[in-house]
Amino acid sequence: MGNRLPSSGAVVRFCQKLNRVKTLEDDLMETSFKRCLSTLDLTLLGVGGMVGSGLYVLTGTVAKEIAGPAVVISFLIAGIASLLAALCYAEFGARVPKTGSAYMFTYVSVGELWAFLIGWNVILEYMIGGAAVARAWSGYLDSIFDHKIKNYTESHVGTWNVQFLAHYPDFLAAGILLFATAFISFGVRVSSWLNHIFAAISMGIIIFILIFGFILADPKNWSAERGGFAPYGFSGIMSGTATCFYAFVGFDVIAASSEEAKNPQKAVPIATAVSLGLATGAYILVSAVLTLMVPWNTLIPDSALSDAFYRRGYSWAGFIVAAGSICAMNTVLLSNLFSLPRIVYAMAEDGLFFQFFAKVNPTTKVPVIGIVVFGILMAFLALIFDLEALVQFLSIGTLLAYTFVAASIIVLRFQQEKTEPSSGAEQEQSPQHHDPNVNVERIAGEEMKEYESFSDKLQLVETQKKAKERRETGHLKAAFEPYLKFLSDCYPGEVVTISVVTMMFCSICLCAVLVFGNNELHLPKWSFYLLLVIFLIGFLISLFFIWVHEQQKKATTFQVPLVPLIPSLSILLNIYLMLKLNYMTWVRFAVWLAIGLLVYFGYGIWHSKENLRGPKGHGVTARYVVFPNSSLEETVQQIQPNLQDTMGRAEITDEEVHKR
């Protein structure tokens, strides 16, 4: 029996497999996709992904059932929490301009298993998002025709009385998803063009709602005699915030599209900030208008905005709102169907998911197989599942992805950058360019410095002195070494990684006490506050231990400010909102994770390309170069197989032909 047990070495190797990180290519601008999206394209993709059914459906649902008029505060907090996460996405999208979004970011910084689980949840997020929007789209169109579609389906097809399933099969929602899938398959330019049209109509409708809605506003609807501004209290506001997160999940389409952006280093951060700001402003103002037009407790969740105008006697305005909401939801459908196949493509390209999803159509430059397969799966979800059950399930996957991306930012910021050693050819050429009359010195880790005079020498000495004061990335700062000597012997980044794990544990415990301490756990007041103080101190100590280490030098691409503070706050807020979701959401989430683990251990771990870092096969890919004036040069790179000599060194012969 003892011989059958795995050795300690085998266990260590297995754990290393689970935590291995992705090796990035030297040229991150090389891609099989077509780089054709501008900053405006990405911004409209982000706005289209966020401003849709959340604006026209969630505002009414949260206002009536969860938060009341305080839904305004719920959207504000959700927007702030999303901003913390969006900054992390923007840094990764600019730094690693590859498709894959949260999956890719986790893979390059945390490890393979965690990346797969995040990718697995992001897949579910997009599938549920698309299905939920399709059902909302169907409901709004049905309301225009006085629910004739629903009545016909119930009378001729039948109804279901099963928990979590829709009351009747929604063939209209499934049909619109299949129709949108066909359009997405034609390529990124067609998708972007359609998104521009629908986004323009949507923004026009929002402006109409705000102007006309504030004219019809009645402040008495927020008065105490009609329930007050926050009838469900602070708990209702925070529960509403967790649900409102669904409204902002669309901003990660920008990071997912970075591999198709012309200049991702510039476009991704700008598009993320602008689109999130516009979406947050729209949600806050529209929810204020809605609850001021009619009493919050009389709202009809499925079509709250259009119904509010109907009840105020402006049926024509209600018709315009209903028609405009359909256009807005079309942008969300396009966003979900645009992003989902690219996440699947990234996982399949890395070998963690079935390989046929990694095929890119040579004509349209999009993963057609992934688009068709997951478009059909979305249509099936929209056909049978209830909207509210879908939305609750969606929030938990989104919050988990935000949490891991924020943790990845901290880990990566304190990791030493992998630098390629100089080749022998470069070392041989450097003396040829060296002037024997010029003194040359090398500062540790920096380029060769030249000086011709005594003043130049003094400047060099001063630079060298500063270089000694600033240690390498991941090491303890020199100023804290006398006080924290026990940390100085650790590997670079080791203390940071342990501190991030400890901080997440303290965050979970702190939020659990806040959420469950009084009601479910019935803790005495003294123990409630004692536990809060203990876990808060643990959180702050972990944050301090991260801060006392050296970060990477300022990069040319966008970086999240105030690291590790902003990512840490994002982690804390995301975990709190996750714990506010109901227990059945966690049960369904656990089942989905279990299925994901079966896929990973049954397929992904054995087919991962990190197992076989061999030479690339034959193929032609597009290679892009961004010049200082932001212009984009596209070339075609012929990739030939590597030829290994007796020393085991590989040589790659590249031929670049400029396309006109």
mmCIF file of all heavy atoms in Angstrom, residues 279-321:
data_model
loop_
_atom_site.group_PDB
_atom_site.id
_atom_site.type_symbol
_atom_site.label_atom_id
_atom_site.label_comp_id
_atom_site.label_asym_id
_atom_site.label_seq_id
_atom_site.Cartn_x
_atom_site.Cartn_y
_atom_site.Cartn_z
ATOM 1 N N ALA A 279 -21.460 55.483 -18.033
ATOM 2 C CA ALA A 279 -22.457 54.504 -17.595
ATOM 3 C C ALA A 279 -22.924 54.781 -16.171
ATOM 4 O O ALA A 279 -24.126 54.727 -15.877
ATOM 5 C CB ALA A 279 -21.885 53.093 -17.697
ATOM 6 N N THR A 280 -21.985 55.091 -15.267
ATOM 7 C CA THR A 280 -22.360 55.369 -13.874
ATOM 8 C C THR A 280 -23.271 56.584 -13.788
ATOM 9 O O THR A 280 -24.288 56.574 -13.080
ATOM 10 C CB THR A 280 -21.103 55.590 -13.017
ATOM 11 O OG1 THR A 280 -20.236 54.465 -13.129
ATOM 12 C CG2 THR A 280 -21.469 55.794 -11.557
ATOM 13 N N GLY A 281 -22.921 57.647 -14.508
ATOM 14 C CA GLY A 281 -23.765 58.840 -14.530
ATOM 15 C C GLY A 281 -25.157 58.547 -15.055
ATOM 16 O O GLY A 281 -26.167 59.026 -14.505
ATOM 17 N N ALA A 282 -25.243 57.736 -16.111
ATOM 18 C CA ALA A 282 -26.544 57.398 -16.693
ATOM 19 C C ALA A 282 -27.405 56.613 -15.702
ATOM 20 O O ALA A 282 -28.603 56.907 -15.536
ATOM 21 C CB ALA A 282 -26.341 56.591 -17.976
ATOM 22 N N TYR A 283 -26.817 55.630 -15.020
ATOM 23 C CA TYR A 283 -27.582 54.819 -14.074
ATOM 24 C C TYR A 283 -28.097 55.649 -12.901
ATOM 25 O O TYR A 283 -29.251 55.500 -12.478
ATOM 26 C CB TYR A 283 -26.729 53.664 -13.566
ATOM 27 C CG TYR A 283 -26.702 52.484 -14.494
ATOM 28 C CD1 TYR A 283 -25.544 52.147 -15.187
ATOM 29 C CD2 TYR A 283 -27.827 51.699 -14.688
ATOM 30 C CE1 TYR A 283 -25.513 51.066 -16.050
ATOM 31 C CE2 TYR A 283 -27.809 50.617 -15.541
ATOM 32 C CZ TYR A 283 -26.648 50.303 -16.222
ATOM 33 O OH TYR A 283 -26.624 49.247 -17.083
ATOM 34 N N ILE A 284 -27.254 56.505 -12.355
ATOM 35 C CA ILE A 284 -27.658 57.311 -11.201
ATOM 36 C C ILE A 284 -28.791 58.261 -11.581
ATOM 37 O O ILE A 284 -29.815 58.371 -10.886
ATOM 38 C CB ILE A 284 -26.449 58.081 -10.643
ATOM 39 C CG1 ILE A 284 -25.448 57.105 -10.010
ATOM 40 C CG2 ILE A 284 -26.886 59.121 -9.624
ATOM 41 C CD1 ILE A 284 -24.142 57.749 -9.601
ATOM 42 N N LEU A 285 -28.631 58.960 -12.701
ATOM 43 C CA LEU A 285 -29.632 59.953 -13.105
ATOM 44 C C LEU A 285 -30.948 59.293 -13.511
ATOM 45 O O LEU A 285 -32.030 59.776 -13.148
ATOM 46 C CB LEU A 285 -29.079 60.798 -14.255
ATOM 47 C CG LEU A 285 -27.912 61.722 -13.894
ATOM 48 C CD1 LEU A 285 -27.361 62.401 -15.139
ATOM 49 C CD2 LEU A 285 -28.356 62.780 -12.877
ATOM 50 N N VAL A 286 -30.890 58.193 -14.257
ATOM 51 C CA VAL A 286 -32.122 57.538 -14.699
ATOM 52 C C VAL A 286 -32.873 56.927 -13.516
ATOM 53 O O VAL A 286 -34.109 57.007 -13.445
ATOM 54 C CB VAL A 286 -31.806 56.462 -15.761
ATOM 55 C CG1 VAL A 286 -33.030 55.589 -16.034
ATOM 56 C CG2 VAL A 286 -31.357 57.115 -17.057
ATOM 57 N N SER A 287 -32.151 56.336 -12.547
ATOM 58 C CA SER A 287 -32.837 55.779 -11.375
ATOM 59 C C SER A 287 -33.467 56.889 -10.535
ATOM 60 O O SER A 287 -34.548 56.699 -9.948
ATOM 61 C CB SER A 287 -31.866 54.949 -10.530
ATOM 62 O OG SER A 287 -30.758 55.729 -10.109
ATOM 63 N N ALA A 288 -32.827 58.063 -10.481
ATOM 64 C CA ALA A 288 -33.425 59.197 -9.768
ATOM 65 C C ALA A 288 -34.698 59.664 -10.473
ATOM 66 O O ALA A 288 -35.726 59.917 -9.830
ATOM 67 C CB ALA A 288 -32.415 60.338 -9.673
ATOM 68 N N VAL A 289 -34.637 59.770 -11.806
ATOM 69 C CA VAL A 289 -35.813 60.182 -12.578
ATOM 70 C C VAL A 289 -36.967 59.204 -12.383
ATOM 71 O O VAL A 289 -38.121 59.602 -12.164
ATOM 72 C CB VAL A 289 -35.436 60.297 -14.078
ATOM 73 C CG1 VAL A 289 -36.696 60.325 -14.942
ATOM 74 C CG2 VAL A 289 -34.625 61.550 -14.324
ATOM 75 N N LEU A 290 -36.662 57.917 -12.444
ATOM 76 C CA LEU A 290 -37.709 56.888 -12.343
ATOM 77 C C LEU A 290 -38.436 56.961 -11.015
ATOM 78 O O LEU A 290 -39.679 56.925 -10.964
ATOM 79 C CB LEU A 290 -37.082 55.506 -12.532
ATOM 80 C CG LEU A 290 -38.018 54.311 -12.385
ATOM 81 C CD1 LEU A 290 -39.099 54.342 -13.460
ATOM 82 C CD2 LEU A 290 -37.226 53.007 -12.456
ATOM 83 N N THR A 291 -37.706 57.057 -9.917
ATOM 84 C CA THR A 291 -38.334 57.050 -8.589
ATOM 85 C C THR A 291 -38.965 58.400 -8.239
ATOM 86 O O THR A 291 -39.749 58.473 -7.285
ATOM 87 C CB THR A 291 -37.303 56.665 -7.513
ATOM 88 O OG1 THR A 291 -36.140 57.502 -7.642
ATOM 89 C CG2 THR A 291 -36.886 55.211 -7.672
ATOM 90 N N LEU A 292 -38.622 59.460 -8.994
ATOM 91 C CA LEU A 292 -39.278 60.750 -8.783
ATOM 92 C C LEU A 292 -40.548 60.887 -9.625
ATOM 93 O O LEU A 292 -41.453 61.638 -9.266
ATOM 94 C CB LEU A 292 -38.319 61.896 -9.125
ATOM 95 C CG LEU A 292 -37.227 62.191 -8.098
ATOM 96 C CD1 LEU A 292 -36.207 63.173 -8.665
ATOM 97 C CD2 LEU A 292 -37.823 62.735 -6.807
ATOM 98 N N MET A 293 -40.625 60.157 -10.743
ATOM 99 C CA MET A 293 -41.808 60.244 -11.608
ATOM 100 C C MET A 293 -43.021 59.551 -10.994
ATOM 101 O O MET A 293 -44.140 60.076 -11.038
ATOM 102 C CB MET A 293 -41.497 59.633 -12.980
ATOM 103 C CG MET A 293 -40.646 60.506 -13.878
ATOM 104 S SD MET A 293 -40.268 59.679 -15.444
ATOM 105 C CE MET A 293 -41.906 59.459 -16.126
ATOM 106 N N VAL A 294 -42.820 58.355 -10.437
ATOM 107 C CA VAL A 294 -43.918 57.576 -9.846
ATOM 108 C C VAL A 294 -43.448 57.017 -8.504
ATOM 109 O O VAL A 294 -42.235 56.864 -8.283
ATOM 110 C CB VAL A 294 -44.360 56.421 -10.769
ATOM 111 C CG1 VAL A 294 -44.975 56.966 -12.055
ATOM 112 C CG2 VAL A 294 -43.195 55.506 -11.087
ATOM 113 N N PRO A 295 -44.361 56.712 -7.578
ATOM 114 C CA PRO A 295 -43.958 56.105 -6.300
ATOM 115 C C PRO A 295 -43.200 54.796 -6.530
ATOM 116 O O PRO A 295 -43.606 53.970 -7.347
ATOM 117 C CB PRO A 295 -45.296 55.866 -5.595
ATOM 118 C CG PRO A 295 -46.226 56.866 -6.193
ATOM 119 C CD PRO A 295 -45.808 56.993 -7.619
ATOM 120 N N TRP A 296 -42.113 54.588 -5.789
ATOM 121 C CA TRP A 296 -41.239 53.444 -6.008
ATOM 122 C C TRP A 296 -41.947 52.107 -5.781
ATOM 123 O O TRP A 296 -41.637 51.107 -6.420
ATOM 124 C CB TRP A 296 -40.014 53.530 -5.094
ATOM 125 C CG TRP A 296 -40.342 53.534 -3.629
ATOM 126 C CD1 TRP A 296 -40.598 54.615 -2.842
ATOM 127 C CD2 TRP A 296 -40.479 52.384 -2.784
ATOM 128 N NE1 TRP A 296 -40.887 54.230 -1.558
ATOM 129 C CE2 TRP A 296 -40.808 52.857 -1.485
ATOM 130 C CE3 TRP A 296 -40.344 51.013 -2.979
ATOM 131 C CZ2 TRP A 296 -41.009 51.999 -0.404
ATOM 132 C CZ3 TRP A 296 -40.546 50.161 -1.903
ATOM 133 C CH2 TRP A 296 -40.866 50.657 -0.639
ATOM 134 N N ASN A 297 -42.921 52.074 -4.841
ATOM 135 C CA ASN A 297 -43.587 50.802 -4.530
ATOM 136 C C ASN A 297 -44.679 50.432 -5.525
ATOM 137 O O ASN A 297 -45.337 49.404 -5.380
ATOM 138 C CB ASN A 297 -44.163 50.836 -3.112
ATOM 139 C CG ASN A 297 -45.026 52.065 -2.874
ATOM 140 O OD1 ASN A 297 -45.310 52.829 -3.797
ATOM 141 N ND2 ASN A 297 -45.443 52.254 -1.629
ATOM 142 N N THR A 298 -44.890 51.254 -6.556
ATOM 143 C CA THR A 298 -45.879 50.929 -7.591
ATOM 144 C C THR A 298 -45.218 50.590 -8.927
ATOM 145 O O THR A 298 -45.925 50.430 -9.931
ATOM 146 C CB THR A 298 -46.840 52.112 -7.801
ATOM 147 O OG1 THR A 298 -46.103 53.248 -8.287
ATOM 148 C CG2 THR A 298 -47.538 52.481 -6.504
ATOM 149 N N LEU A 299 -43.911 50.496 -8.936
ATOM 150 C CA LEU A 299 -43.188 50.241 -10.185
ATOM 151 C C LEU A 299 -43.447 48.822 -10.694
ATOM 152 O O LEU A 299 -43.661 47.892 -9.905
ATOM 153 C CB LEU A 299 -41.684 50.427 -9.974
ATOM 154 C CG LEU A 299 -41.196 51.851 -9.717
ATOM 155 C CD1 LEU A 299 -39.723 51.833 -9.299
ATOM 156 C CD2 LEU A 299 -41.380 52.711 -10.958
ATOM 157 N N ILE A 300 -43.435 48.659 -12.003
ATOM 158 C CA ILE A 300 -43.511 47.342 -12.636
ATOM 159 C C ILE A 300 -42.095 46.987 -13.091
ATOM 160 O O ILE A 300 -41.572 47.590 -14.029
ATOM 161 C CB ILE A 300 -44.475 47.354 -13.841
ATOM 162 C CG1 ILE A 300 -45.887 47.717 -13.375
ATOM 163 C CG2 ILE A 300 -44.454 46.002 -14.554
ATOM 164 C CD1 ILE A 300 -46.891 47.815 -14.504
ATOM 165 N N PRO A 301 -41.432 46.037 -12.430
ATOM 166 C CA PRO A 301 -40.005 45.797 -12.674
ATOM 167 C C PRO A 301 -39.652 45.484 -14.128
ATOM 168 O O PRO A 301 -38.628 45.946 -14.630
ATOM 169 C CB PRO A 301 -39.693 44.597 -11.765
ATOM 170 C CG PRO A 301 -40.721 44.670 -10.687
ATOM 171 C CD PRO A 301 -41.948 45.192 -11.342
ATOM 172 N N ASP A 302 -40.476 44.716 -14.832
ATOM 173 C CA ASP A 302 -40.114 44.275 -16.177
ATOM 174 C C ASP A 302 -40.039 45.417 -17.184
ATOM 175 O O ASP A 302 -39.305 45.337 -18.166
ATOM 176 C CB ASP A 302 -41.107 43.217 -16.677
ATOM 177 C CG ASP A 302 -40.944 41.904 -15.927
ATOM 178 O OD1 ASP A 302 -39.854 41.690 -15.353
ATOM 179 O OD2 ASP A 302 -41.900 41.113 -15.895
ATOM 180 N N SER A 303 -40.817 46.469 -16.975
ATOM 181 C CA SER A 303 -40.822 47.594 -17.931
ATOM 182 C C SER A 303 -41.084 48.890 -17.169
ATOM 183 O O SER A 303 -42.044 49.616 -17.451
ATOM 184 C CB SER A 303 -41.878 47.366 -19.011
ATOM 185 O OG SER A 303 -43.139 47.116 -18.435
ATOM 186 N N ALA A 304 -40.223 49.173 -16.200
ATOM 187 C CA ALA A 304 -40.479 50.269 -15.262
ATOM 188 C C ALA A 304 -40.488 51.634 -15.944
ATOM 189 O O ALA A 304 -41.388 52.453 -15.704
ATOM 190 C CB ALA A 304 -39.433 50.239 -14.150
ATOM 191 N N LEU A 305 -39.517 51.919 -16.801
ATOM 192 C CA LEU A 305 -39.408 53.251 -17.388
ATOM 193 C C LEU A 305 -40.555 53.554 -18.346
ATOM 194 O O LEU A 305 -41.186 54.615 -18.259
ATOM 195 C CB LEU A 305 -38.066 53.395 -18.107
ATOM 196 C CG LEU A 305 -36.872 53.762 -17.221
ATOM 197 C CD1 LEU A 305 -35.576 53.624 -17.992
ATOM 198 C CD2 LEU A 305 -37.020 55.185 -16.696
ATOM 199 N N SER A 306 -40.804 52.646 -19.265
ATOM 200 C CA SER A 306 -41.886 52.900 -20.224
ATOM 201 C C SER A 306 -43.234 52.971 -19.509
ATOM 202 O O SER A 306 -44.081 53.817 -19.836
ATOM 203 C CB SER A 306 -41.902 51.816 -21.299
ATOM 204 O OG SER A 306 -42.078 50.541 -20.724
ATOM 205 N N ASP A 307 -43.440 52.117 -18.503
ATOM 206 C CA ASP A 307 -44.697 52.128 -17.761
ATOM 207 C C ASP A 307 -44.873 53.431 -16.980
ATOM 208 O O ASP A 307 -45.990 53.931 -16.837
ATOM 209 C CB ASP A 307 -44.740 50.929 -16.808
ATOM 210 C CG ASP A 307 -46.063 50.843 -16.065
ATOM 211 O OD1 ASP A 307 -47.072 50.540 -16.707
ATOM 212 O OD2 ASP A 307 -46.065 51.088 -14.838
ATOM 213 N N ALA A 308 -43.753 54.007 -16.476
ATOM 214 C CA ALA A 308 -43.835 55.268 -15.742
ATOM 215 C C ALA A 308 -44.358 56.389 -16.642
ATOM 216 O O ALA A 308 -45.187 57.211 -16.215
ATOM 217 C CB ALA A 308 -42.457 55.630 -15.188
ATOM 218 N N PHE A 309 -43.904 56.437 -17.878
ATOM 219 C CA PHE A 309 -44.403 57.458 -18.803
ATOM 220 C C PHE A 309 -45.862 57.196 -19.177
ATOM 221 O O PHE A 309 -46.653 58.136 -19.324
ATOM 222 C CB PHE A 309 -43.530 57.491 -20.063
ATOM 223 C CG PHE A 309 -42.233 58.226 -19.877
ATOM 224 C CD1 PHE A 309 -41.035 57.545 -19.765
ATOM 225 C CD2 PHE A 309 -42.214 59.612 -19.814
ATOM 226 C CE1 PHE A 309 -39.840 58.220 -19.599
ATOM 227 C CE2 PHE A 309 -41.020 60.304 -19.645
ATOM 228 C CZ PHE A 309 -39.828 59.599 -19.534
ATOM 229 N N TYR A 310 -46.230 55.925 -19.353
ATOM 230 C CA TYR A 310 -47.630 55.584 -19.633
ATOM 231 C C TYR A 310 -48.536 56.098 -18.522
ATOM 232 O O TYR A 310 -49.594 56.692 -18.772
ATOM 233 C CB TYR A 310 -47.794 54.065 -19.764
ATOM 234 C CG TYR A 310 -47.421 53.503 -21.121
ATOM 235 C CD1 TYR A 310 -46.444 52.512 -21.234
ATOM 236 C CD2 TYR A 310 -48.059 53.929 -22.284
ATOM 237 C CE1 TYR A 310 -46.099 51.988 -22.468
ATOM 238 C CE2 TYR A 310 -47.719 53.409 -23.522
ATOM 239 C CZ TYR A 310 -46.742 52.443 -23.617
ATOM 240 O OH TYR A 310 -46.406 51.921 -24.836
ATOM 241 N N ARG A 311 -48.128 55.875 -17.277
ATOM 242 C CA ARG A 311 -48.964 56.245 -16.131
ATOM 243 C C ARG A 311 -49.045 57.750 -15.928
ATOM 244 O O ARG A 311 -50.002 58.241 -15.313
ATOM 245 C CB ARG A 311 -48.442 55.556 -14.869
ATOM 246 C CG ARG A 311 -48.714 54.052 -14.882
ATOM 247 C CD ARG A 311 -47.866 53.323 -13.872
ATOM 248 N NE ARG A 311 -48.051 53.822 -12.524
ATOM 249 C CZ ARG A 311 -47.292 53.464 -11.485
ATOM 250 N NH1 ARG A 311 -46.301 52.600 -11.672
ATOM 251 N NH2 ARG A 311 -47.526 53.954 -10.304
ATOM 252 N N ARG A 312 -48.072 58.479 -16.420
ATOM 253 C CA ARG A 312 -48.135 59.939 -16.324
ATOM 254 C C ARG A 312 -48.895 60.548 -17.499
ATOM 255 O O ARG A 312 -48.983 61.771 -17.628
ATOM 256 C CB ARG A 312 -46.727 60.522 -16.252
ATOM 257 C CG ARG A 312 -45.960 60.177 -14.986
ATOM 258 C CD ARG A 312 -46.668 60.691 -13.734
ATOM 259 N NE ARG A 312 -46.812 62.139 -13.730
ATOM 260 C CZ ARG A 312 -45.918 62.971 -13.177
ATOM 261 N NH1 ARG A 312 -44.851 62.475 -12.559
ATOM 262 N NH2 ARG A 312 -46.120 64.265 -13.203
ATOM 263 N N GLY A 313 -49.449 59.686 -18.372
ATOM 264 C CA GLY A 313 -50.285 60.179 -19.462
ATOM 265 C C GLY A 313 -49.550 60.447 -20.756
ATOM 266 O O GLY A 313 -50.124 61.061 -21.667
ATOM 267 N N TYR A 314 -48.320 60.003 -20.868
ATOM 268 C CA TYR A 314 -47.538 60.226 -22.085
ATOM 269 C C TYR A 314 -47.222 58.869 -22.719
ATOM 270 O O TYR A 314 -46.096 58.383 -22.667
ATOM 271 C CB TYR A 314 -46.252 60.988 -21.773
ATOM 272 C CG TYR A 314 -46.507 62.377 -21.222
ATOM 273 C CD1 TYR A 314 -46.568 62.590 -19.843
ATOM 274 C CD2 TYR A 314 -46.711 63.455 -22.069
ATOM 275 C CE1 TYR A 314 -46.810 63.852 -19.324
ATOM 276 C CE2 TYR A 314 -46.951 64.727 -21.564
ATOM 277 C CZ TYR A 314 -47.001 64.916 -20.197
ATOM 278 O OH TYR A 314 -47.243 66.172 -19.695
ATOM 279 N N SER A 315 -48.245 58.286 -23.314
ATOM 280 C CA SER A 315 -48.069 56.950 -23.888
ATOM 281 C C SER A 315 -47.081 56.953 -25.044
ATOM 282 O O SER A 315 -46.336 55.989 -25.234
ATOM 283 C CB SER A 315 -49.422 56.404 -24.352
ATOM 284 O OG SER A 315 -50.025 57.284 -25.288
ATOM 285 N N TRP A 316 -47.053 58.064 -25.808
ATOM 286 C CA TRP A 316 -46.103 58.137 -26.923
ATOM 287 C C TRP A 316 -44.666 58.113 -26.413
ATOM 288 O O TRP A 316 -43.777 57.525 -27.037
ATOM 289 C CB TRP A 316 -46.353 59.391 -27.753
ATOM 290 C CG TRP A 316 -46.257 60.674 -26.960
ATOM 291 C CD1 TRP A 316 -47.264 61.312 -26.299
ATOM 292 C CD2 TRP A 316 -45.070 61.440 -26.732
ATOM 293 N NE1 TRP A 316 -46.800 62.440 -25.659
ATOM 294 C CE2 TRP A 316 -45.444 62.549 -25.923
ATOM 295 C CE3 TRP A 316 -43.742 61.322 -27.122
ATOM 296 C CZ2 TRP A 316 -44.537 63.515 -25.514
ATOM 297 C CZ3 TRP A 316 -42.834 62.288 -26.715
ATOM 298 C CH2 TRP A 316 -43.230 63.371 -25.924
ATOM 299 N N ALA A 317 -44.413 58.748 -25.257
ATOM 300 C CA ALA A 317 -43.070 58.737 -24.679
ATOM 301 C C ALA A 317 -42.703 57.341 -24.196
ATOM 302 O O ALA A 317 -41.558 56.892 -24.343
ATOM 303 C CB ALA A 317 -42.985 59.734 -23.524
ATOM 304 N N GLY A 318 -43.694 56.646 -23.628
ATOM 305 C CA GLY A 318 -43.446 55.277 -23.197
ATOM 306 C C GLY A 318 -43.093 54.373 -24.359
ATOM 307 O O GLY A 318 -42.237 53.484 -24.234
ATOM 308 N N PHE A 319 -43.730 54.615 -25.500
ATOM 309 C CA PHE A 319 -43.419 53.821 -26.693
ATOM 310 C C PHE A 319 -41.992 54.085 -27.159
ATOM 311 O O PHE A 319 -41.262 53.159 -27.532
ATOM 312 C CB PHE A 319 -44.418 54.161 -27.798
ATOM 313 C CG PHE A 319 -44.219 53.366 -29.049
ATOM 314 C CD1 PHE A 319 -44.756 52.092 -29.170
ATOM 315 C CD2 PHE A 319 -43.483 53.880 -30.105
ATOM 316 C CE1 PHE A 319 -44.567 51.354 -30.328
ATOM 317 C CE2 PHE A 319 -43.290 53.154 -31.257
ATOM 318 C CZ PHE A 319 -43.836 51.880 -31.370
ATOM 319 N N ILE A 320 -41.569 55.353 -27.128
ATOM 320 C CA ILE A 320 -40.202 55.704 -27.537
ATOM 321 C C ILE A 320 -39.182 55.054 -26.604
ATOM 322 O O ILE A 320 -38.159 54.514 -27.048
ATOM 323 C CB ILE A 320 -40.024 57.244 -27.553
ATOM 324 C CG1 ILE A 320 -40.871 57.859 -28.664
ATOM 325 C CG2 ILE A 320 -38.557 57.615 -27.730
ATOM 326 C CD1 ILE A 320 -40.857 59.374 -28.670
ATOM 327 N N VAL A 321 -39.446 55.108 -25.296
ATOM 328 C CA VAL A 321 -38.529 54.508 -24.323
ATOM 329 C C VAL A 321 -38.419 53.000 -24.537
ATOM 330 O O VAL A 321 -37.319 52.428 -24.515
ATOM 331 C CB VAL A 321 -38.999 54.814 -22.886
ATOM 332 C CG1 VAL A 321 -38.189 54.011 -21.871
ATOM 333 C CG2 VAL A 321 -38.870 56.303 -22.597
#
